[in-house]
Amino acid sequence: MKTFLFVAEKANLLGKMGGAFGSSTHSGESAQMIYDTMQHVFKMDMVNLGALNLKEQVVNSSEGQRACQDYGKAVSKMFR
């Protein structure tokens, strides 16, 4: 992911819409770190819900499904 972010930095993403999400079995800080990079380094217009991070045990639950749907809705509102 670090390599990808270095390459993405060259793409001039200033003002582009973005969001970061992930699922994890560990601490789960990666999604937030990527979100912060996109927001503060790339100066992207990020989804207002912050980074979506689902723990492995939540991914296949109704709570996980609802979180993903809410995140998708927040992204779609950015297109309006």
Side-chain angles (χ1 to χ4, degrees):
M1 205 56 216
K2 185 177 179 181
T3 301
F4 172 77
L5 291 173
F6 281 127
V7 171
E9 189 172 17
K10 298 174 185 174
N12 187 23
L13 299 171
L14 178 71
K16 303 290 184 193
M17 291 183 280
F21 56 90
S23 61
S24 62
T25 57
H26 55 289
S27 61
E29 72 276 352
S30 297
Q32 187 62 50
M33 290 169 51
I34 293 167
Y35 184 95
D36 291 343
T37 299
M38 294 168 74
Q39 183 176 39
H40 300 293
V41 176
F42 301 164
K43 306 290 187 213
M44 295 177 72
D45 183 18
M46 301 300 288
V47 65
N48 64 356
L49 295 181
L52 174 62
N53 184 29
L54 297 174
K55 296 290 185 185
E56 182 181 44
Q57 63 271 20
V58 178
V59 170
N60 289 323
S61 70
S62 60
E63 177 187 355
Q65 183 177 3
R66 188 171 41 260
C68 291
Q69 290 171 339
D70 290 345
Y71 205 79
K73 288 175 186 175
V75 170
S76 73
K77 287 180 182 177
M78 296 176 74
F79 286 100
R80 295 181 185 163

